Amino acid sequence: MLEANLKSQLKTYLEKVSQPIEIVASLDGGAKSQELRELLKDIEGLSDLITVVERGEDSQRKPSFAITRPGTDVSVRFAGIPMGHEFTSLVLALLQVGGHPIKLDDSVIEQIRNLEGDYEFETYFSLSCQNCPDVVQALNTMSIINPRIRHTAIDGALFQDEVARREIMSVPTVFLNDEVFGQGRAGVEEILAKLDTNSGSRKAEELNAKEEFDVLIVGGGPAGAAAAVYAARKGIRTGVVSERFGGQVLDTMAIENFISVKETEGPKFAAALEDHVRAYDVDIMNVQRAKRLIPGDVIQVELENGAVLKGKTVVLATGARWREINVPGEKEYRNRGVAYCPHCDGPLFKGKAVAVIGGGNSGVEAAIDLAGLVKHVTLLEFAESLRADEVLQRKLRSLPNVTVITSAQTTEILGDGSKVNGLVYTDRKTTESHKVELDGVFVQIGLVPNTEWLKGVVDLSRYGEIEIDARGQTSVPGVFAAGDATTVPYKQIVIAAGDGAKAALSAFDHLIRTSAPAETDEKTAVTA
């Protein structure tokens, strides 16, 4: 099952296991059960502390297995074969159940232990989803810390009857005690905030008590991370407040153009960014959304939870998010057929008809990827021709199950009240309206900057981007900006990182100049 190189790597990891592990498998005579059986045998052969037994305890889901610590309540369960992006989740579960220390702050671990009540979590994932491992790993970790939290990670592609019954059309989707708990990427802190209703006020008090920063960075993507490293290296008090560290990079499938890194995946790149920042004395305040910027001699950033952070300078690196088409039905059917990540949600539409809206590189790439999974793809482009690179267009035209419609303005997404069943578009040349019957709509029309909270405070372009000069300075003294939220052309990771470094250096220069004594004071001191 496992290739020799992967076996060797896994064996090295499993040397960190310090306590016995029993893997309890529930299998049948099917091909997938045999595949899982081979995987578990491979794992068993890599460590003397791991034993695999077949008991068929889970009659509902086969193949499935539980990783347990004998004599305790510690257990995590996978329904399916956790390869692809979930292989890391499998390895981490083996290590943590096997006694390897959990890398969370002591205060977070204590908060998990103190949760009251019983929690039965189920997470539906797809092996191609780069957002899913964060959720799976977070809930697995929480279940190991607190046995009253139980978690099963389920491969939706293997249990499609279950997916259909529960009307799951987006991954990751999390159920808690048989009710939908959440959809999309989430880490331990986000999950805790929803379970522990008093955590918000406690966190606000903690943030309010923080001293003034020399450089306060808002945003934890490549621009924010680079700004943090460059500021911290100057030896000044540096803080990063971020809704989710990593930003939009977390939603990126493959990165092949960051110089010196031939190929990586978004979540891995984001983790490397955070590791680099944490190597310095940087105060990272994660899972916090900025609400208001208040200029002054000391600049203040008010957060959604009511806390106020202060900085002598501020670097705005809030990034961007997927642009919506803003037509009837889009919001109503989001995660119920309307999706923005073809890599994550594509496997849920296997054998079905879908549409992709957008004819740029992202849209055409999405259509190509989906064509290998779904029954048919209809690509709709507003302009008269596709805007994607010619090499992508040639590939698209070679696919027999793709229809391309240009000069098409999507006017409505249709549904039956529970899920998408079609869309309506207008032919911009003839003004005729057309209906397309389908099961899913993937929106790929670019990005919009996360700057709504800055309107009326800093100058923004007509596209909502923060206007900056060559040094990253905004219209507000002491406030700098970098990355996809700004007017800088070409929204690229490498450019955002470079501009983040530049903004931090500009902020440091501003601190030096504004803290220097006035010339007249110097002369007076010499005369005296």
Side-chain angles (χ1 to χ4, degrees), residues 22-27 36 40 53-69 73-82 86 89-90 93-94 97 120-125 135-137 139-141 143-144 149-155 159 162:
E22 185 175 71
I23 301 177
V24 183
S26 179
L27 307 171
L36 178 57
L40 298 181
V53 297
E54 293 186 28
R55 293 184 186 151
E57 292 182 348
D58 191 334
S59 59
Q60 178 186 2
R61 303 184 182 107
K62 294 182 180 181
S64 66
F65 64 98
I67 303 173
T68 69
R69 187 184 298 165
D73 293 328
V74 174
S75 174
V76 297
R77 177 172 285 277
F78 290 90
I81 307 171
E86 291 301 337
S89 301
L90 170 61
L94 289 166
V97 173
E120 186 74 43
F121 283 101
E122 297 167 295
T123 301
Y124 289 85
F125 65 84
V135 181
V136 171
Q137 292 167 25
L139 287 168
N140 280 350
T141 298
S143 71
I144 292 167
I149 300 170
R150 292 174 295 276
H151 179 230
T152 303
I154 306 159
D155 183 356
F159 299 93
E162 206 170 313

Side-chain angles (χ1 to χ4, degrees), residues 167-171 335-337 345 348-349 418-420 439:
E167 296 184 339
I168 297 167
M169 306 190 76
S170 175
V171 290
N335 295 324
R336 293 192 292 162
D345 299 332
L348 299 178
F349 294 87
S418 63
K419 61 183 183 297
V420 167
D439 301 288

Side-chain angles (χ1 to χ4, degrees), residues 83 121 201 271 303 345 359 411 427:
M83 298 299 289
F121 283 101
S201 58
L303 306 180
D345 299 332
T411 57
D427 186 321

Side-chain angles (χ1 to χ4, degrees), residues 234-250:
K234 294 296 183 181
I236 57 180
R237 181 167 163 73
T238 304
V240 177
V241 59
S242 174
E243 189 171 352
R244 57 171 190 162
F245 203 99
Q248 193 199 355
V249 165
L250 291 165

Side-chain angles (χ1 to χ4, degrees), residues 371-509:
L373 294 169
V374 304
K375 178 181 178 182
H376 189 268
V377 179
T378 301
L379 186 145
L380 296 98
E381 163 58 33
F382 183 85
E384 294 184 2
S385 60
L386 300 182
R387 295 168 287 111
D389 295 342
E390 180 57 32
V391 63
L392 294 175
Q393 292 191 45
R394 287 199 301 270
K395 175 62 177 177
L396 186 72
R397 289 192 291 267
S398 73
L399 301 174
N401 62 334
V402 176
T403 299
V404 176
I405 304 174
T406 57
S407 298
Q409 180 177 1
T410 303
T411 57
E412 185 177 5
I413 294 175
L414 306 173
D416 61 7
S418 63
K419 61 183 183 297
V420 167
N421 60 18
L423 66 72
V424 177
Y425 74 91
T426 298
D427 186 321
R428 295 177 56 239
K429 292 181 178 179
T430 65
T431 71
E432 293 181 1
S433 182
H434 302 271
K435 177 182 176 181
V436 181
E437 294 184 358
L438 40 78
D439 301 288
V441 177
F442 289 83
V443 180
Q444 300 281 289
I445 57 171
L447 304 171
V448 58
N450 297 315
T451 58
E452 291 86 353
W453 64 290
L454 297 169
K455 287 181 179 178
V457 182
V458 300
D459 289 347
L460 304 177
S461 72
R462 64 192 181 99
Y463 301 109
E465 300 164 318
I466 304 167
E467 293 186 347
I468 57 173
D469 64 14
R471 298 168 59 84
Q473 173 70 58
T474 71
S475 59
V476 177
V479 177
F480 302 84
D484 287 2
T486 73
T487 49
V488 66
Y490 313 119
K491 313 301 186 187
Q492 297 291 310
I493 294 172
V494 68
I495 293 174
D499 280 359
K502 180 168 62 177
L505 293 173
S506 296
F508 181 68
D509 182 68

Side-chain angles (χ1 to χ4, degrees), residues 85-412:
H85 288 293
E86 291 301 337
F87 186 70
T88 302
S89 301
L90 170 61
V91 175
L92 190 61
L94 289 166
L95 293 179
Q96 291 179 341
V97 173
H100 191 65
I102 291 172
K103 293 183 179 180
L104 287 176
D105 291 341
D106 291 342
S107 60
V108 175
I109 292 175
E110 191 63 23
Q111 188 180 356
I112 295 169
R113 284 200 181 111
N114 292 336
L115 285 173
E116 297 181 357
D118 294 301
Y119 305 90
E120 186 74 43
F121 283 101
E122 297 167 295
T123 301
Y124 289 85
F125 65 84
S126 71
L127 297 181
S128 59
C129 170
Q130 71 268 31
N131 292 324
C132 297
D134 275 9
V135 181
V136 171
Q137 292 167 25
L139 287 168
N140 280 350
T141 298
M142 292 174 69
S143 71
I144 292 167
I145 294 169
N146 184 345
R148 296 184 71 178
I149 300 170
R150 292 174 295 276
H151 179 230
T152 303
I154 306 159
D155 183 356
L158 284 188
F159 299 93
Q160 292 199 344
D161 289 345
E162 206 170 313
V163 166
R165 175 173 56 80
R166 284 182 149 175
E167 296 184 339
I168 297 167
M169 306 190 76
S170 175
V171 290
T173 291
V174 180
F175 284 78
L176 170 58
N177 299 335
D178 214 32
E179 299 288 337
V180 175
F181 175 77
Q183 293 176 309
R185 179 186 294 275
V188 169
E189 291 174 292
E190 291 99 322
I191 295 168
L192 266 178
K194 294 181 71 172
L195 296 177
D196 186 352
T197 55
N198 294 321
S199 63
S201 58
R202 291 198 304 269
K203 190 65 178 179
E205 291 178 10
E206 177 188 326
L207 295 173
N208 275 327
K210 290 185 180 292
E211 296 179 7
E212 174 184 292
F213 293 96
D214 292 311
V215 177
L216 176 60
I217 300 155
V218 185
V229 169
Y230 268 76
R233 285 174 62 86
K234 294 296 183 181
I236 57 180
R237 181 167 163 73
T238 304
V240 177
V241 59
S242 174
E243 189 171 352
R244 57 171 190 162
F245 203 99
Q248 193 199 355
V249 165
L250 291 165
D251 302 323
T252 303
M253 185 64 175
I255 299 171
E256 299 176 345
N257 57 359
F258 192 85
I259 308 306
S260 83
V261 180
K262 288 178 63 177
E263 183 179 357
T264 187
E265 296 170 351
K268 290 182 180 179
F269 187 82
L273 289 178
E274 186 168 357
D275 285 345
H276 195 173
V277 173
R278 289 190 183 277
Y280 293 90
D281 187 14
V282 177
D283 189 345
I284 296 178
M285 298 156 281
N286 206 9
V287 198
Q288 301 297 328
R289 181 194 289 265
K291 179 181 179 181
R292 189 159 65 110
L293 180 72
I294 306 170
D297 292 337
V298 175
I299 304 159
Q300 300 181 61
V301 175
E302 182 182 350
L303 306 180
E304 287 282 359
N305 66 6
V308 176
L309 300 171
K310 303 177 182 66
K312 294 175 183 176
T313 63
V314 168
V315 174
L316 302 172
T318 50
R321 63 186 183 276
W322 292 115
R323 185 181 299 276
E324 298 177 347
I325 52 177
N326 293 317
V327 299
E330 181 179 21
K331 285 185 170 59
E332 293 85 341
Y333 291 103
R334 184 166 188 160
N335 295 324
R336 293 192 292 162
V338 175
Y340 301 83
C341 179
H343 304 295
C344 301
D345 299 332
L348 299 178
F349 294 87
K350 185 177 181 180
K352 298 180 179 180
V354 302
V356 173
I357 300 176
N361 282 350
S362 295
V364 171
E365 287 174 351
I368 292 170
D369 289 343
L370 289 166
L373 294 169
V374 304
K375 178 181 178 182
H376 189 268
V377 179
T378 301
L379 186 145
L380 296 98
E381 163 58 33
F382 183 85
E384 294 184 2
S385 60
L386 300 182
R387 295 168 287 111
D389 295 342
E390 180 57 32
V391 63
L392 294 175
Q393 292 191 45
R394 287 199 301 270
K395 175 62 177 177
L396 186 72
R397 289 192 291 267
S398 73
L399 301 174
N401 62 334
V402 176
T403 299
V404 176
I405 304 174
T406 57
S407 298
Q409 180 177 1
T410 303
T411 57
E412 185 177 5

